[in-house]
Amino acid sequence: MSEHFPKSPGWLDWCQNPSKPRFQLPAGSVDAHCHVFGPGERFPYAIERKYTPCDASKEQLFALRDHLGFERNVVVQATCHGADNRALVDACLSSGGKARGVATVKRNVSDQELDALHAAGIRGVRFNFVKRLVDFTPREELIEIAHRVAKLNWHVVVYFEAVDLPELWDFFSGLPTTVVIDHMGRPDVTQPVDGRDFELLVKFMREHANVWSKVSCPERLSATGKPALNGEQGAYQDVVPFARRLVETFPDRVLWGTDWPHPNLKNHMPDDGLLVDFIPRIATTPELQRKLLVDNPMRLYWGK
Ligand code: 0GY
């Protein structure tokens, strides 16, 4: 019997007709942070989920990839699917080698299941510390998982709020893998780029050569509102100094992704074409763009 999942109240649908970016992506570019949701009747949403999204299928993701000019995707398991990675695995397996994935697993995952995930193209696990998205998971469980996936040469993706970094510092420092921070650790961009919180993130990356960051989600982090208020060219200007600082300080340890289909945005839904046009404002030279969009994700996800 198929289930019907009404989306959460106020849920914004993703942009159905994104513009064609003016910025031409370098050949071989990777959208290194995006999701698939369902479809719910084939891949039901998790019981423990904190929101119910609208469906966003692998076919729709691959169509967006082609429209924007990306060659590959890294699909990240979202919390609405819990530790049920079937939609993610299905997307990776149907991509003709053009998608890799980051899964969510629990302590009871078997070695055979991890091997099957690896064969499907999974190369990392995600630990989520954003309290509105997940219930608490004991740290010793996460460390145990990290040590197991380290043997497969996977990495750990961590998602947290900037204010929580001091408390998470020691835990992150003890992870035995490459660690990838989602969305720059969600800085408060109304604070100065050299303010206390962002300085701490930069210090963390400086002191830990295994730590990377996604310089993604200007639409999520911006406090100045949607592009229409600012004009397309100036959209999300308040996020630029933060992303640019990471790209220029750690050019070999940054990744970029659309975050399509943009879960939990309350105020506006971005045009994904305009998000691509944001890239040259944070990676201002062809060399930085190539590292951000091609070299770094290919090294981490395709071993090249
Ligand atoms: C993102 C951001 C969010 C959601 C999730 O797994 C998720 O549910 O990651 C968010 O609500 O900030 O990366 O898509």
Side-chain angles (χ1 to χ4, degrees):
M1 197 183 69
S2 71
E3 281 180 81
H4 181 61
F5 293 93
K7 58 191 183 186
S8 297
W11 187 270
L12 297 180
D13 271 354
W14 41 276
C15 175
Q16 301 290 330
N17 51 352
S19 57
K20 201 86 180 155
R22 269 174 276 198
F23 173 59
Q24 187 167 1
L25 290 161
S29 287
V30 181
D31 175 355
H33 186 99
C34 48
H35 309 286
V36 288
F37 293 154
E41 62 174 33
R42 180 157 177 227
F43 300 112
Y45 298 110
I47 289 170
E48 72 274 21
R49 70 190 181 279
K50 305 292 185 206
Y51 62 85
T52 305
C54 58
D55 290 338
S57 70
K58 64 183 178 191
E59 291 85 359
Q60 289 162 326
L61 174 64
F62 298 157
L64 180 74
R65 173 198 68 199
D66 295 344
H67 173 79
L68 297 177
F70 286 98
E71 200 162 301
R72 295 179 173 84
N73 296 112
V74 179
V75 186
V76 176
Q77 177 77 350
T79 55
C80 55
H81 277 299
D84 176 352
N85 296 292
R86 282 177 296 170
L88 167 67
V89 163
D90 176 65
C92 290
L93 288 175
S94 332
S95 70
K98 291 183 172 188
R100 295 283 200 240
V102 174
T104 297
V105 300
K106 296 203 168 131
R107 171 183 256 160
N108 62 3
V109 68
S110 69
D111 287 343
Q112 290 80 355
E113 283 167 328
L114 287 178
D115 288 344
L117 288 171
H118 189 87
I122 305 303
R123 294 292 181 270
V125 287
R126 191 178 195 210
F127 296 165
N128 200 319
F129 301 90
V130 178
K131 296 175 186 83
R132 70 185 155 79
L133 291 173
V134 283
D135 299 320
F136 179 76
T137 306
R139 302 280 158 88
E140 60 273 17
E141 178 168 342
L142 298 176
I143 279 284
E144 189 180 306
I145 291 168
H147 278 279
R148 288 182 64 201
V149 304
K151 294 188 197 135
L152 294 164
N153 204 20
W154 292 8
H155 60 276
V156 173
V157 173
V158 291
Y159 191 26
F160 61 94
E161 307 273 1
V163 292
D164 294 325
L165 180 55
E167 193 264 315
L168 290 162
W169 182 287
D170 289 344
F171 173 74
F172 290 165
S173 300
L175 290 171
T177 60
T178 294
V179 176
V180 180
I181 295 171
D182 271 343
H183 317 329
M184 303 189 278
R186 294 190 61 103
D188 174 354
V189 299
T190 65
Q191 299 296 310
V193 68
D194 57 357
R196 195 192 54 195
D197 286 353
F198 204 63
E199 261 330 308
L200 195 68
L201 182 93
V202 172
K203 179 171 181 304
F204 188 71
M205 290 187 70
R206 210 169 257 139
E207 290 184 6
H208 298 83
N210 63 322
V211 175
W212 297 36
S213 178
K214 292 177 198 164
V215 288
S216 42
C217 279
E219 74 289 359
R220 203 175 277 292
L221 301 173
S222 178
T224 53
K226 55 187 178 182
L229 297 178
N230 302 322
E232 290 176 9
Q233 290 311 306
Y236 315 129
Q237 181 57 33
D238 50 350
V239 183
V240 169
F242 293 81
R244 202 167 154 178
R245 183 164 180 205
L246 293 190
V247 168
E248 291 175 0
T249 312
F250 307 106
D252 299 310
R253 293 192 264 147
V254 283
L255 300 168
W256 192 89
T258 55
D259 195 33
W260 184 90
H262 313 287
N264 296 311
L265 288 187
K266 297 284 183 270
N267 298 320
H268 83 286
M269 184 49 60
D271 169 336
D272 297 280
L274 292 184
L275 282 182
V276 171
D277 285 334
F278 184 74
I279 296 171
R281 294 164 57 203
I282 63 169
T284 53
T285 68
E287 191 191 353
L288 288 172
Q289 291 160 6
R290 198 198 63 241
K291 286 177 180 229
L292 176 67
L293 297 161
V294 186
D295 298 353
N296 299 345
M298 288 307 288
R299 207 162 70 248
L300 192 60
Y301 289 97
W302 277 268
K304 292 189 177 151

